Amino acid sequence: MPVQVKRLLIAFAVFIALFLVARHFLRPATFGEYGHYRGAALKENEDRPIKYVNMNETCITCHDSIAAVRDSSVHKSINCQTCHGPGYKHVDDPQKTNIVKEHAREFCGRCHSKNPARAKVIKQIDMNEHNKEDECISCHNSHNPVLW
Amino acid sequence: MVKENKDFSRREFFKKTGVIAGGVLFASLLSPLKAAQSTEKSKSDDTWYGIGLDIEKCIGCASCARACKAENDVPKEPFFFRSWVEQYTITNSGEVKVQSPNGGIDGYKQPVPESEIFKTFFVPKMCNHCSKSPCTQVCPVGATFVSPDGVVLVDPNYCVGCRYCVQACPYGCRYIKPDLGTVDKCTLCYHRLKKGMDPACMMVCPTGARLYGNLRDPKSEMVKFIKNHTVGALKPNLNTGSKLYYNALSQEVH
Amino acid sequence: MEFQSLYEAMSKMDGYCYPNEIELNWSVLIVLYPYITGLVAGAFILASLNRVFNIKALKPTYELSLLTAFSFMLVATMPLIFHLGKPFRFYEIMTTPHLTSAMAIFGFVYLWYLMVVLLLEIWFDYRYDMTIWSKENPGFKSIIYKILTLGIKDVSNKSRITDNKLGYFITVVGIPSAFILHGYVGFIFGSVKANPWWSTVMMPVIFLFSAMVSGIALVMFIYMAVSIIRKQKLDMICLDAIGKYLFYILLIDFVLEGLDQIHRIYVAEESFDILNLLVHGKLFFTFFIMQGLIGTLIPLLTLGTFQFLKPKENIRKFVYFILSLCVLVGIFFMRWNVVIGGQLFSKSFYGFTDFKLDMIGKEGFLGGMIWLVVPLIILTILLWLLPPWKKAPHIEHE
């Protein structure tokens, strides 16, 4: 074998060996457990914190009277947190974190402003005409939105 | 004559065996390519999640988009979304107008006068959790994958941020988280699913326009939804194996 | 691109885009990546024309082509790594390559081409000379040569013949490797089925031929520039030969790209309307003017004319110089039109985003220019270390 080939083979062998050693140490431990990914990533995805809490286990245990109002209304299928936002902070410390909703008209308008794309079963109003000086809640109870 | 025939068939036999053996050898060389088509239905007993979105029920309130941002720390600015709602308006002249101001969170301004609207509807969008997902196919390092139950997930601790998956997603469901430099997308609230809770977007939907469930369980609501409605997937021509089924999907929707 | 507010960002959009499409994902760095690998593949092919296909007229550019290819190859991955969101994780593509990804094998294709093809071919070509130079030069330079020769001291005729044979073998292996390298880069784009502007089987072939065009133009330019700096007389036979090959391959490239576009126009699939608007709108300047007119038609017509009518030497020199630059700019914009153009329209097919190249920053104009200047610096160093003009004369054998 010519000397060039010998030396080159040694150089390449060293290079490949170094690569294999590096690869051994750089490959994460759980890689390939289920597929071509870090198995631990499944668990990491699972372990992220929950912010929208289970309504029946939390909201309703304290606010049972409001829940009763809601349950008798057209809003009965709507989760508390749809309007009030995520409840995790309030559940952790009800004194400190209040999630009572602001009374802006736009807020109700998210569902009830007039839009031809909206299903007709949803009551819709023209925000620019329907009692435009008043807050919605001065006439409607948001938990049971017939007139007060 | 008969003998000849026999010889011939024997030769044919060897020829065919050779071809088959060669084919198998060649196919085994190509086996990396196979993975692109094999994620579907591996073990039929496992859960295999699918999603149903009902366009007829969606009222475009974008509660889903808001809840998703809050639940999953989706950056409020700049303006990325794991879940958003589009309003399609088709005019009498056939022109298609689409809008989704801030993913629908800021409400909709209808530029078309009502008399000129041929039809209009909302389309909630989210990751299709494709079974032959083009985004996981192209990830060069294995930082995004289909979970054993059929949810397309990201490993932010392994993602290199090459953005190839963002390019490969036909539905625009991926983005780079600006603070991390890694990719982010809908996980179908995997952290909630695994604790027996509904994804945040489904939990807050006021009209029940969203549902999910096990596609392998014939008694699940999900399978009933597909059975009882005329459902369609987005961009079926791309053969992504989308597991997001829309009821009342118009052909204008991309 | 940083936006002050959502509505400022949306004002840059035209029609409807998916909300996440507000950001352009691949910027000028990814334009440079296929551009630079293309230059490498092209320069190598030019060297092979001399070595394997035995085109003697190209001899003066043989070593220069190889060194050019090598210096550009050394930086080819840099724009890629710098554009990553997590640059320090780049090694993952080598340690856990995901084999279904068109991008995953790039690390290996790159290493193969850099280490096995380019490095070895240059090494075999210069091994004898480096051994001689290590004796002639004192001190530091001698040490470098000794390391580079891996300590081999053999300067016999037999060893030169061995070098020559092995070098030839490597070149033969190198030609398909160069094809694979750049065809593969084309496949990275061509295989994205979500993007109709990229997704065409022609993409690898088009990338390959445009790569050859750009590489040949680059060697032509560098050969002229180096000769002018060294105050050496230009070999006109060589230049004319380069010009001839540039013409042929540019012609093939033009026909292939033309076919691709004609096919698009004729079949006019779902995406055609938006692509048509794109090409006549936001891409008009870079597509028709820069790529089409300056990069293709002008060089094609001029070089074509030269095949029949040869003006005076001085005029030819000047024209070659200008044309090589035109082609280099044209191919840059070809990459631009593919990479940036493919991201300017929404995958909803209902609108466009906008792209403005920043001046500074790693994704800016200057940040990108770095990766075109660094190879030239490397080339300068290589030419100092391995000057082709000081090599011992070639030996004939067999």
Side-chain angles (χ1 to χ4, degrees), chain B residues 79 81 86 106 136-140 156 158-164 166-167 169 172 180 235 238 252 254, chain C residues 6-7 16 18-20 23 25-26 83 85-86 89 92 96 98 100-101 188 193-194 270 343 347-348 350:
Chain B
F79 321 96
F81 296 86
E86 296 165 353
D106 291 355
T136 60
Q137 184 189 17
V138 303
C139 176
Y158 206 63
C159 174
V160 294
C162 71
R163 299 169 183 247
Y164 200 18
V166 186
Q167 304 286 7
C169 174
L180 295 177
K235 303 190 181 179
L238 295 180
E252 291 86 359
H254 290 155
Chain C
L6 170 65
Y7 290 93
Y16 177 71
Y18 295 135
N20 294 333
E23 184 184 48
N25 281 289
W26 286 349
H83 114 282
K86 292 278 182 200
R89 291 184 186 167
E92 289 172 7
T96 59
H98 186 215
T100 64
S101 168
I188 288 179
K193 66 181 172 188
E270 188 186 21
Q343 301 173 82
K347 287 181 198 146
S348 70
Y350 283 126

Side-chain angles (χ1 to χ4, degrees), chain B residues 135-246:
Chain B
C135 58
T136 60
Q137 184 189 17
V138 303
C139 176
V141 299
T144 182
F145 51 92
V146 183
S147 79
D149 33 16
V151 181
V152 178
L153 295 175
V154 167
D155 180 353
N157 294 318
Y158 206 63
C159 174
V160 294
C162 71
R163 299 169 183 247
Y164 200 18
C165 57
V166 186
Q167 304 286 7
C169 174
Y171 309 108
C173 293
R174 286 173 169 258
Y175 59 92
I176 295 287
K177 241 183 164 175
D179 50 337
L180 295 177
T182 55
V183 79
D184 200 35
K185 69 175 287 297
C186 164
T187 63
L188 198 57
C189 282
Y190 199 69
H191 57 300
R192 300 172 64 89
L193 282 188
K194 287 287 154 176
K195 293 174 189 98
M197 297 172 83
D198 292 344
C201 60
M202 315 236 173
M203 183 185 224
V204 301
C205 180
T207 61
R210 310 169 77 89
L211 85 162
Y212 72 104
N214 185 1
L215 291 172
R216 286 176 184 154
D217 174 7
K219 290 192 286 289
S220 69
E221 287 300 313
M222 187 59 224
V223 173
K224 283 184 199 152
F225 176 80
I226 297 176
K227 199 171 182 172
N228 298 335
H229 296 89
T230 309
V231 293
L234 293 173
K235 303 190 181 179
N237 56 320
L238 295 180
N239 191 25
T240 57
S242 164
K243 294 196 269 96
L244 172 51
Y245 300 90
Y246 282 100

Side-chain angles (χ1 to χ4, degrees), chain C residues 336-350:
Chain C
W336 175 281
N337 291 331
V338 170
V339 177
I340 305 292
Q343 301 173 82
L344 286 178
F345 64 95
S346 167
K347 287 181 198 146
S348 70
F349 301 162
Y350 283 126

Side-chain angles (χ1 to χ4, degrees), chain C residues 298-318:
Chain C
I298 292 178
L300 207 52
L301 291 177
T302 319
L303 290 171
T305 314
F306 279 13
Q307 306 309 312
F308 305 104
L309 297 168
K310 278 203 164 46
K312 283 202 194 91
E313 264 189 26
N314 277 339
I315 298 172
R316 285 213 311 276
K317 274 183 209 166
F318 178 74

Side-chain angles (χ1 to χ4, degrees), chain B residues 76-118:
Chain B
K76 289 212 173 58
E77 293 197 7
F79 321 96
F80 298 118
F81 296 86
R82 290 182 179 193
S83 172
W84 70 96
V85 185
E86 296 165 353
Q87 179 169 10
Y88 270 72
T89 305
I90 296 144
T91 65
N92 285 333
S93 59
E95 201 186 342
V96 181
K97 289 184 184 290
V98 193
Q99 55 168 329
S100 182
N102 196 12
I105 289 175
D106 291 355
Y108 305 88
K109 301 262 185 307
Q110 182 58 271
V112 184
E114 210 169 328
S115 59
E116 281 174 33
I117 295 175
F118 179 64

Side-chain angles (χ1 to χ4, degrees), chain C residues 197-211:
Chain C
W197 184 238
W198 293 347
S199 169
T200 155
V201 283
M202 298 285 276
M203 196 59 98
V205 191
I206 291 173
F207 262 53
L208 191 58
F209 278 90
S210 56

